[in-house]
């Protein structure tokens, strides 16, 4: 059930050390309404890819097209949830989100902004904490504010950089559920980085497996998208039932095998 | 909690004790022991004789260092009528202080107007940072008073020269701190602003300014401290009005009580200014 292509990434590479690109020949596409996860070892270049998609970093070569238009700089069309939540500590939760909403719709009146902000804060279940400062929130709550902020501008593509990396397993599960519900309700297109195989299996329609750049007998080999795997599990999967589903273990083993055996080696 | 309370109480007690000790030592040191001993040894006739010769044995006290009591009386006297004006050499302490504060305020405000925008520029542009760095490095260590002759020559007005000296000494800490604060705004906040396509003005006022505000205010606090140090010296040099001139004038009058009073006042006002900036600093500080 591949949807119409929304984002197309063509032969991307990023070079810091001349002759040794972090990755090259990275090509993939994302369908409208699709949830794509990327998995790979630390340092393989996942954040770099995401930053290029966001327009925050420039590729050394290659192109990114969204809706057939080339991406060349950050835009409100692409919302980013940063690994480190990146809330402004001098703004309350309300103001953090209002800052984003006003940037998206500068013509909106005070009341319109307020309603919109409250709707998205309620969506992540933080209505009771809306007037608190970020420093008064737990790590999980901050991450949820970051997600609400990205959703509130209703971007056409949502980019998430290990959004739950710093959270404990329990909180992580809750927010994964929340994210899944919201994405299913809104039909949001998502590109997400994760280190957690189960998280990818739960959320993603498709998983990109990325290998690290490394030295081989035949010389340096840049990182790349080694495999793209479609999620065979039904779209109604939930966190609680995931490991009971038929096909879960073979799928999981395939990804883990890749990470253990092939992600680093040539 | 109670431990902290107890500590504060003890500290206050020790402070009071030390102050009392200091006053006592001062009292003892300024009581003319020799004078009174001589006075006691003299017969009434001899005292009478000394008086007739124009030498008052009791008067020795008055020409020495003032006692705490005399200083206290002076303080009460000044504070009772701080705003009188009896010509250029005799103005109430409130008026003199007002002149000093006005100069500091004006010079400091001008310095803010220059240092904060310029600091933004330097903080945001590596090119400007490198281009301006040599100038800042050379100008910064110059004693503000060294500018006084040039200021007097070019501006010709002594009061305006004082303001200029305050300006020049306040500008550097603020400039350096603003540039540093702006340059070290977290990249992630700037990235948020970029992905939200925030306009340059909104970014400057809603992201960079609040992010750098604690550092900028630290610079302002340091500047204000220096400005208050410098204004006294500057006013001693140019004269006319102000607390510095008051000190100089009372020294010329050999009125040590007035000098002591002024010195105390300078300390108290400096402390209040610093406390005000400390408050401001706390108001803009954010917890991450
Ligand atoms: N500014 C830079 N200068 C030089 N090398 C860099 C720079 N930024 C990133 N790199 C290199 O690029 C590679 C990819 O970095 P990136 O942050 O994209 O990794 P990642 O896959 O997101 O890792 P992690 O999972 O740990 O977040 C790393 O090996 C890093 O050393
Ligand atoms: Mg990363």
């Amino acid at each position: 059930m591949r949807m119409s292509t929304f984002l197309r990434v063509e032969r991307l590479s990023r070079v810091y050390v001349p002759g040794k690109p972090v990755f090259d020949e990275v090509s993939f596409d994302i369908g409208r309404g699709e949830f794509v996860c990327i998995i790979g070892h630390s340092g393989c270049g996942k954040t770099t890819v995401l930053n290029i998609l966001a327009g925050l970093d420039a590729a050394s070569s290659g192109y990114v097209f969204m809706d057939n238009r080339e991406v060349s700089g950050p835009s409100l069309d692409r919302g980013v949830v940063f690994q480190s939540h990146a809330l402004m500590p001098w703004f309350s939760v309300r103001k953090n989100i209002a800052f984003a909403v006003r940037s998206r719709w500068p013509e909106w009146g005070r009341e319109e902004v307020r309603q919109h902000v409250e709707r998205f804060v309620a969506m992540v279940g933080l209505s009771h904490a809306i007037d608190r400062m970020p420093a008064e929130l737990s790590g999980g709550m901050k991450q949820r504010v970051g997600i609400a902020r990205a959703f509130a501008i209703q971007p056409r593509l949502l980019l998430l950089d290990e959004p739950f990396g710093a959270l404990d397993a329990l909180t992580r599960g809750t927010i994964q559920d929340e994210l899944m519900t919201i994405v299913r309700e809104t039909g949001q297109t998502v590109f997400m980085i994760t280190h957690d195989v189960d998280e990818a299996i739960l959320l993603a329609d498709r998983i990109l497996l990325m290998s690290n750049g490394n030295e081989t007998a035949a010389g340096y080999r840049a990182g790349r998208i080694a495999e793209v795997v479609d999620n065979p599990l039904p779209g109604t999967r939930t966190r609680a039932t995931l490991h009971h589903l038929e096909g879960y273990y073979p799928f999981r083993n395939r990804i883990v095998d890749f990470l253990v055996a092939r992600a680093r080696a040539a | 909690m109670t431990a902290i309370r107890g500590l504060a109480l003890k500290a206050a007690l020790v402070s009071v004790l030390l102050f009392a000790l200091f006053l006592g030592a001062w009292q003892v040191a300024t009581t003319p022991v020799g004078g009174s001993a001589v006075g006691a040894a003299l017969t009434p006739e001899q005292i009478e004789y000394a008086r007739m010769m124009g030498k008052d044995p009791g008067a020795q006290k008055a020409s020495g260092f003032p006692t705490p009591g005399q200083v206290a009386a002076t303080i009460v006297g000044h504070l009772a009528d701080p705003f009188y004006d009896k010509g250029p050499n005799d103005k109430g302490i409130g008026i003199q202080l007002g002149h000093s504060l006005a100069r500091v305020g004006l010079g400091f405000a001008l310095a803010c107007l220059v240092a904060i925008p310029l600091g933004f520029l330097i903080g945001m542009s590596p090119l400007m940072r490198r281009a301006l760095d040599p100038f800042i490095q050379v100008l910064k260590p110059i004693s503000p008073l060294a500018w006084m002759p040039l200021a007097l020559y070019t501006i010709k007005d002594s009061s305006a020269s004082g303001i200029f000296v305050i300006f020049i000494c306040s500008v550097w800490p603020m400039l350096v701190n603003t540039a540093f604060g702006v340059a070290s705004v977290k990249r992630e906040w700037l990235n948020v602003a970029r992905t939200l396509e925030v306009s340059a003005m909104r970014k400057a006022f809603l992201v960079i300014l609040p992010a750098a505000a604690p550092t900028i205010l630290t610079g302002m606090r340091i500047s204000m401290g220096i400005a208050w140090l410098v204004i006294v010296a500057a006013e001693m040099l140019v004269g006319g009005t102000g607390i510095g001139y008051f000190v100089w004038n009372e020294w010329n009058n050999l009125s040590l009580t007035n000098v002591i009073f002024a010195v105390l006042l300078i300390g108290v006002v400096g402390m209040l200014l610093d406390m005000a900036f400390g408050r401001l600093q706390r108001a803009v500080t954010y917890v991450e």
Side-chain angles (χ1 to χ4, degrees), chain A residues 55-56 74-78 80 82 84 86-91 99-100 102-103 135 142 149 153, chain B residues 185 187-198 202-203 206-208 210-211 284 286-288:
Chain A
L56 291 170
S75 144
L76 283 157
D77 279 343
R78 277 158 280 125
V80 185
F82 295 88
S84 53
L87 299 180
M88 320 248 173
W90 52 89
F91 285 152
F99 179 67
R102 287 216 179 85
S103 308
K142 281 184 216 170
R149 177 173 64 185
I153 59 166
Chain B
V185 172
R187 208 194 160 83
E188 55 186 42
W189 296 329
L190 298 176
N191 278 344
V192 169
R194 285 178 67 200
T195 58
L196 293 174
E197 296 184 58
V198 174
R202 283 187 82 216
K203 186 168 92 176
L206 295 180
V207 181
I208 298 175
V284 299
Y286 48 83
V287 225
E288 273 188 55

Side-chain angles (χ1 to χ4, degrees), chain A residues 89-156:
Chain A
W90 52 89
F91 285 152
S92 64
V93 169
R94 184 193 290 282
K95 283 191 175 162
N96 261 288
I97 298 177
F99 179 67
V101 171
R102 287 216 179 85
S103 308
R104 178 75 176 79
W105 295 283
E107 70 280 5
W108 276 14
R110 186 184 290 266
E111 186 55 26
E112 233 170 340
V113 170
R114 192 184 62 79
Q115 280 178 7
H116 194 81
V117 168
E118 285 175 0
R119 194 175 119 218
F120 281 85
V121 172
M123 186 185 80
V124 294
L126 285 179
S127 298
H128 62 285
I130 191 167
D131 287 310
R132 286 206 223 159
M133 300 307 278
E136 300 162 347
L137 303 179
S138 71
M141 290 160 96
K142 281 184 216 170
Q143 206 52 263
R144 273 140 81 184
V145 178
I147 291 170
R149 177 173 64 185
F151 270 91
I153 59 166
Q154 299 182 332
R156 297 201 296 149

Side-chain angles (χ1 to χ4, degrees), chain B residues 17-90:
Chain B
L17 215 73
L18 284 174
F19 187 61
L21 219 70
F22 165 72
L23 283 184
W26 180 3
Q27 180 68 53
V28 170
T30 48
T31 308
V33 186
S36 56
V38 170
L42 296 173
T43 61
E45 290 79 24
Q46 284 171 309
I47 294 173
E48 193 66 40
Y49 177 72
R51 286 238 171 88
M52 285 202 291
M53 298 301 286
K55 284 190 212 150
D56 186 350
Q60 264 173 315
K61 244 187 231 171
S63 64
F65 199 82
T67 63
Q70 290 169 323
V71 172
T74 309
I75 292 175
V76 170
H78 279 295
L79 295 186
D81 185 14
F83 296 112
Y84 70 87
D85 187 351
K86 297 180 195 150
N89 280 341
D90 193 9

Side-chain angles (χ1 to χ4, degrees), chain A:
Chain A
M1 48 158 235
R2 184 68 49 82
M3 292 138 257
S4 66
T5 299
F6 173 60
L7 185 89
R8 208 164 81 242
V9 177
E10 275 179 17
R11 309 189 61 182
L12 225 50
S13 82
R14 182 71 172 91
V15 183
Y16 288 111
V17 183
K20 296 190 176 181
V22 178
F23 54 79
D24 66 6
E25 300 291 333
V26 166
S27 303
F28 59 89
D29 44 50
I30 301 178
R32 207 176 295 281
E34 202 178 16
F35 198 127
V36 172
C37 275
I38 186 166
I39 288 193
H41 286 293
S42 188
C44 70
K46 304 179 297 295
T47 297
T48 311
V49 170
L50 185 132
N51 281 343
I52 293 171
L53 299 193
L56 291 170
D57 193 1
S60 305
S61 69
Y63 307 93
V64 178
F65 296 97
M66 191 165 89
D67 254 350
N68 295 320
R69 237 177 285 142
E70 192 178 350
V71 166
S72 61
S75 144
L76 283 157
D77 279 343
R78 277 158 280 125
V80 185
V81 176
F82 295 88
Q83 182 159 11
S84 53
H85 65 74
L87 299 180
M88 320 248 173
W90 52 89
F91 285 152
S92 64
V93 169
R94 184 193 290 282
K95 283 191 175 162
N96 261 288
I97 298 177
F99 179 67
V101 171
R102 287 216 179 85
S103 308
R104 178 75 176 79
W105 295 283
E107 70 280 5
W108 276 14
R110 186 184 290 266
E111 186 55 26
E112 233 170 340
V113 170
R114 192 184 62 79
Q115 280 178 7
H116 194 81
V117 168
E118 285 175 0
R119 194 175 119 218
F120 281 85
V121 172
M123 186 185 80
V124 294
L126 285 179
S127 298
H128 62 285
I130 191 167
D131 287 310
R132 286 206 223 159
M133 300 307 278
E136 300 162 347
L137 303 179
S138 71
M141 290 160 96
K142 281 184 216 170
Q143 206 52 263
R144 273 140 81 184
V145 178
I147 291 170
R149 177 173 64 185
F151 270 91
I153 59 166
Q154 299 182 332
R156 297 201 296 149
L157 173 65
L158 193 63
L159 301 164
L160 302 132
D161 188 352
E162 280 187 64
F164 315 128
L167 305 183
D168 64 281
L170 217 61
T171 319
R172 195 181 179 120
T174 322
I175 307 183
Q176 281 170 358
D177 283 343
E178 265 168 23
L179 179 66
M180 196 164 59
T181 314
I182 299 165
V183 168
R184 280 180 188 167
E185 275 171 9
T186 54
Q188 180 74 55
T189 311
V190 184
F191 177 82
M192 171 166 151
I193 298 174
T194 178
H195 269 128
D196 181 338
V197 176
D198 279 330
E199 183 171 277
I201 294 175
L202 174 67
L203 296 170
D205 299 317
R206 209 144 43 94
I207 302 175
L208 312 178
L209 305 177
M210 193 168 176
S211 63
N212 284 63
N214 56 353
E215 296 291 346
T216 66
Y220 180 81
R221 205 163 164 282
R224 58 190 57 199
I225 305 286
E227 275 181 61
V228 179
V229 287
D230 281 307
N231 194 335
L233 304 179
T236 52
R237 62 190 178 273
T238 62
R239 196 159 46 93
T241 62
L242 195 62
H243 53 283
H244 297 305
L245 291 173
E246 201 177 331
Y248 166 74
Y249 283 104
F251 186 46
R252 185 176 201 282
N253 288 342
R254 183 176 170 192
I255 298 168
V256 173
D257 282 345
F258 167 79
L259 289 174
V260 173
R262 287 178 294 131
R264 287 185 197 279

Side-chain angles (χ1 to χ4, degrees), chain B residues 81-159:
Chain B
D81 185 14
F83 296 112
Y84 70 87
D85 187 351
K86 297 180 195 150
N89 280 341
D90 193 9
K91 292 189 203 313
I93 196 69
I95 290 181
Q96 303 287 27
L97 203 58
H99 278 288
S100 296
L101 284 173
R103 278 186 199 126
V104 167
L106 224 72
F108 185 81
L110 285 173
C112 285
L113 285 181
V114 172
I116 291 173
L118 199 63
F120 254 72
L121 185 70
I122 294 173
M124 297 219 272
S125 148
L127 173 77
M128 290 313 282
R129 175 157 59 241
R130 285 182 171 235
L132 292 176
D133 194 55
F135 298 102
I136 296 174
Q137 295 308 329
V138 169
L139 294 175
K140 201 171 58 164
I142 298 172
S143 162
L145 293 174
W147 293 100
M148 191 56 106
L150 286 180
L152 285 171
Y153 181 77
T154 44
I155 308 177
K156 302 222 159 51
D157 177 75
S158 67
S159 192

